[in-house]
Every structure is written in C-alpha cells, then in structure tokens.
Amino acid sequence: MLKTRIIPILTFNGWSLVKTKRFSTPRMLGNPVQAARVYNSRGVDELIFLDIFASKQKRKINLKIVKDVIDQCFMPVGIGGGISTISDIKDMLKIGADKVVLKTAALLNPDFIKESSDFFGSQCISVSVDAVKNNNGIYTVYNEWGVNITMNDFIQKVQNLGAGEIILNSVENDGVMEGFDRVMYNEAQKVTNIPIVCVGGGGELFHYDELFAETNCEAVGSASIFHFTQYTPFDIKDTLKRLGKPVRI
Amino acid sequence: MTAAIIEYGMGNVASVQKALNVLGIDSQITGNTNDIKAAKYIILPGVGSFAQGMENLRNSSLDRIIREEVLLKQKPFLGICLGMQLIATTGTEPHESHGLNLIEGKVIKIQDPNTRVPHLGWNSITSSANLFFDNFNQKDFYFIHSYHFQVSNYNKIGATVDYGNKYVAAIQYENILATQFHPEKSQENGLNLLDNFFKLYA
C-alpha cells in the first residue's frame, strides 16, 4: 500500500536556511547541509530544498551547496529555485536530484513544463503553486509577476502540460503554525489527478489530524514545525498511524 | 572488478554511485564501450521518457553493447526505474518504440481513474519464495513512475506492488535483475538490496 508522505521542506536564501511567515520576514535558521544530514538520519520520506530568492534575484541556485545537501540524502530530493532551462534541470539530475520544483518558470513560461516533462518525464517535474484567496473568495495564484489566474485553472493547466506533482502552498498559513487550509486542499484535489503535496500551517500534531481527517491528502510538506518545535517527522507519522493512515515507520 | 553505471544522459547516475560507494563497491559512471566490456556488472539507471532513453542508447551504440554483454556474455545486469523499462520489447512513452528486448513485454501508461498518476512515494513490494526479492517481501521502497512494465512471462516477475492494481515492481530472470523502484533512494532497504545483488554475483 502506498504510504502517506511526510516531507520536510528546507527554504534557503542563497547562503542560509530561512523560514518565512506569510511569505515575508524570513528568519535565519542555519546550515542546510547539517539539516539534510539530520533528516536523512531520521529516515524521512523525502526532502524538498528550495532557494526561494533565486528567481527574484535573477540568479541560479548554488550547485555546490545543492550537491552537498543531496550528498547527505539516501532518500528522494526535490530541488527548486530559479530553474528555467533544460540545462538547469540536467545540472540538478547530474548531482543526484530526483525532481525539480518549478514555480516562476511555470508561471511565466508554462510551455517549459511541457518541454521539460517531455524530456525528463512527468515524474521529474513538480510545480509549486502559491495560492491565496482573492476578495471574491476565489483561490488564485499569488505571484509578483502580475499573472492573473485562479488556482484551479492553473493546476489543470500544469497537469495538462505534463507536471507530475503539485506542491500547493497556502500563502495565508505559511509559517503561522495554526493549521492547514483544508478547504483549499479539497478544492484543488477535485480538479487534478496528479499527487498534491499540501503545505502551510502545521504547528501542532492535531493540525495533521485535522488535515488527514478532513481531506484525502496523500502528502504533506512542513518546515516550521520541525524548526520551531520538538516534533519530528516521526511524531507526525505516529499521529497518522493512529488515524489509520498508511505510513512508513 | 568494477560495476559500470551506464551514462546515457538520463540522470540519476550520481545517486547510484553514491549508494555503491557506501557499500564499498567499485564503480564507474561511463558510456564507453570498452569500460562496459571490462566491467563485471552492468547497471542501467535512468529517469525520463522511454523513447528518449532508447534514442540516447542507440546514438552511442550502447543498445548493442548492453544486449551483447547481458545476453551473450551473461553479465550480471541491474536495471533501475527507466533502466528496468528499457529492457522491455516495446515502450509507449510518449509514442511506441522498440526497447532493448531483454525481457519480453510492453511498457504502458498506468491508467486507473481511482488512483493518482504518477505512482509516487513509498510502497511495499510482494514477492514469493525462492526469489531474490523474497528477502524484501512487504518492505517499503521508493517508487516514482507513470508507466508500468507488462511482463509477458509471469515467471520473470520478481516482485509486484499494489497501487489499486497489481503492477510489476521487479524482474528476475537468469542474470537480469531490475527494479521499478529506486533502491538507491530507498534508504536501508535499498542499500541492502543493492548489496544482495553484488553478493549474488560475487
């Protein structure tokens, strides 16, 4: 039986791990290589490493640091940050990445999703979607590039272009640690058949209870709970196991 | 005596070598004919589309060398993920094309309205007695694939995985072992499996 995935997400600013709150006020958290080593020793299901400022600062992710992070990991790793060309993806795969996470390129040049998934296979291409409710109560894609599209339309679009996974971030709940946006997740799930990683809001174990009881969530990504509390991915799995969800312990 | 990890532009060679380094297995990432002929083991990793993978192998004549070494010289072979699929007779991703045809069968898209595709994450494999994979019966491995290998001869199936339907998770036939999952990404279980492969053909 396929197990529910609990995925730590490491966000990086180019030289240090950071954690944002509602996508701003990044707080510095130290060395990504050390963090990756700890997660590997804890046997986590997967790891996602994102340079969240690469696109905005018009630079490429630091390959040396990415390689050092991946070298710690004997589980799958997804890498994101400024990836916009086939050669960028080749660079990532060459040093051992399993997936790449596209965000800015997926928004500004959606055809790149098709180009890259045709070349590397859908399983290699995750698309990160930042969703926020607009004034009319409709979930839309949050971005600084002026692209105006609803969350549902964008998810269907990236699926049709060949994305293999959606990493769905709630902007409102990012770093707030007060629970997940289950409504958003349920809405997104209805419009797509590819796996979704639900991200944003986990701060207590009961938040994961709520998420998995009220949705058919198959994967959750978290950062703050691991940085700012004593809880480990194991504690979350233990919670899910009690709910009767399949987990790998 | 080294293991040749075949480099044909389809990724994940570094992860495989990293795992072999941990096990103390000497290996070489190579697309060179002479290296492959000199190697004791052949490992064909890879992620990506079937047609692209075969085209890359053909462009450097690696398809011919692999068939020669595996079928005629009976060299121990391990295919991983796309490397398992490419040993099929036919692939369909994104269009129909010929595979290496080491194991008869066809690689087709997972189509099941009740499950998400790709099949992505940790899943347990099922294997029956006397097979290499029996040691790993009900153990979890990391899968990530949208296509699956329909093996013509059931006797060549090494393990299956349940994802709504039963799919081939591994192949075992003579000197050929192959896994749809990624042992190099499956932590302890994966390292043990790789170790067993080298011990089997030590």
Side-chain angles (χ1 to χ4, degrees):
Chain A
M1 193 176 207
L2 188 68
K3 309 300 185 291
T4 305
R5 288 179 289 152
I6 311 296
I7 307 170
I9 298 180
L10 297 174
T11 46
F12 185 64
N13 69 359
W15 52 284
S16 163
L17 287 181
V18 290
K19 184 66 203 96
T20 53
K21 221 177 222 185
R22 296 197 168 111
F23 281 44
S24 60
T25 59
R27 178 166 158 189
M28 274 200 273
L29 290 165
N31 183 323
V33 180
Q34 204 175 341
R37 188 180 307 138
V38 170
Y39 286 129
N40 182 65
S41 73
R42 290 189 169 152
V44 300
D45 295 330
E46 215 175 300
L47 190 69
I48 294 176
F49 180 78
L50 307 171
D51 184 333
I52 54 175
F53 294 106
S55 289
K56 195 192 294 182
Q57 296 170 354
K58 294 190 170 47
R59 56 176 171 77
K60 295 292 176 190
I61 194 166
N62 183 325
L63 276 178
K64 166 80 175 69
I65 290 171
V66 174
K67 184 173 186 308
D68 288 347
V69 165
I70 294 174
D71 279 349
Q72 299 298 326
C73 299
F74 285 91
M75 68 289 194
V77 188
I79 303 287
I83 294 170
S84 61
T85 67
I86 292 292
S87 118
D88 289 341
I89 300 178
K90 280 187 179 162
D91 287 344
M92 295 303 150
L93 299 184
K94 203 178 277 176
I95 56 176
D98 300 278
K99 294 188 273 194
V100 294
V101 181
L102 306 180
K103 186 163 94 177
T104 305
L107 259 181
L108 300 183
N109 178 20
D111 288 341
F112 181 58
I113 300 170
K114 176 153 177 51
E115 189 193 347
S116 55
S117 60
D118 279 350
F119 196 94
F120 299 102
S122 289
Q123 83 296 323
C124 190
I125 309 297
S126 298
V127 172
S128 180
V129 179
D130 301 335
V132 70
K133 241 186 204 166
N134 70 9
N135 294 335
N136 304 320
I138 296 168
Y139 288 105
T140 53
V141 178
Y142 170 89
N143 66 93
E144 4 187 326
W145 315 96
V147 179
N148 191 3
I149 186 167
T150 68
M151 172 185 81
N152 286 352
D153 286 351
F154 188 61
I155 286 175
Q156 283 178 315
K157 184 173 173 179
V158 304
Q159 167 171 347
N160 293 338
L161 289 168
E165 181 179 60
I166 304 282
I167 297 169
L168 182 61
N169 311 291
S170 162
V171 178
E172 277 297 305
N173 294 15
D174 170 58
V176 180
M177 301 173 74
E178 289 174 355
F180 292 92
D181 188 342
R182 285 94 70 195
V183 176
M184 179 184 86
Y185 182 81
N186 277 330
E187 206 175 284
Q189 207 192 21
K190 275 187 218 143
V191 299
T192 183
N193 183 40
I194 57 177
I196 304 178
V197 181
C198 186
V199 187
E204 294 287 342
L205 294 178
F206 76 84
H207 294 149
Y208 295 83
D209 252 310
E210 289 173 345
L211 174 66
F212 285 87
E214 295 173 28
T215 72
N216 292 320
C217 186
E218 290 155 343
V220 62
S222 278
S224 297
I225 192 168
F226 304 135
H227 291 310
F228 304 127
T229 77
Q230 296 302 310
Y231 297 125
T232 66
F234 176 82
D235 297 316
I236 296 175
K237 287 186 179 183
D238 196 43
T239 305
L240 298 191
K241 197 179 170 195
R242 273 185 258 140
L243 262 183
K245 295 284 174 185
V247 286
R248 193 178 64 102
I249 290 186
Chain B
M1 284 300 185
T2 65
I5 302 169
I6 298 187
E7 163 69 281
Y8 61 115
M10 298 305 281
N12 92 339
V13 289
S15 315
V16 174
Q17 187 167 52
K18 185 171 70 175
L20 299 195
N21 287 346
V22 170
L23 297 173
I25 308 285
D26 188 24
S27 68
Q28 192 179 9
I29 294 172
T30 179
N32 177 289
T33 308
N34 291 331
D35 290 344
I36 296 168
K37 284 184 175 164
K40 183 175 175 190
Y41 309 94
I42 295 178
I43 300 180
L44 184 64
V47 292
S49 93
F50 190 104
Q52 185 74 49
M54 278 312 296
E55 190 184 320
N56 290 7
L57 286 178
R58 255 181 242 118
N59 285 346
S60 36
S61 301
L62 288 170
D63 57 333
R64 200 173 41 82
I65 301 299
I66 293 171
R67 283 181 57 81
E68 249 172 52
E69 297 296 307
V70 178
L71 291 181
L72 298 180
K73 298 195 197 151
Q74 295 278 302
K75 224 170 240 188
F77 172 91
L78 176 65
I80 298 173
C81 196
L82 180 63
M84 171 174 114
Q85 298 187 346
L86 291 178
I87 67 176
T89 314
T90 316
T92 56
E93 180 188 17
H95 49 79
E96 193 149 315
S97 55
H98 291 297
L100 291 168
N101 196 24
L102 303 180
I103 300 286
E104 309 74 47
K106 190 170 183 177
V107 179
I108 59 171
K109 181 122 202 217
I110 299 174
Q111 275 178 327
D112 178 351
N114 300 315
T115 55
R116 293 179 177 272
V117 180
H119 172 216
L120 196 177
W122 295 80
N123 206 335
S124 48
I125 64 170
T126 303
S127 184
S128 46
N130 302 323
L131 293 170
F132 173 84
F133 294 97
D134 190 33
N135 285 336
F136 301 94
N137 190 32
Q138 298 314 314
K139 295 248 164 60
D140 285 317
F141 291 92
Y142 192 81
F143 287 83
I144 178 164
H145 62 118
S146 308
Y147 287 74
H148 71 101
F149 192 157
Q150 275 190 318
V151 176
S152 304
N153 183 344
Y154 288 141
N155 295 328
K156 298 180 182 177
I157 296 173
T160 57
V161 62
D162 189 350
Y163 184 55
N165 296 300
K166 258 194 181 32
Y167 299 105
V168 172
I171 286 167
Q172 182 183 16
Y173 179 67
E174 295 183 344
N175 54 321
I176 297 170
L177 286 177
T179 62
Q180 180 59 67
F181 52 84
H182 286 273
E184 80 284 8
K185 289 285 171 179
S186 296
Q187 292 164 348
E188 205 183 332
N189 290 341
L191 291 174
N192 287 340
L193 189 144
L194 291 170
D195 197 38
N196 283 10
F197 168 75
F198 292 104
K199 282 185 178 142
L200 181 65
Y201 297 109

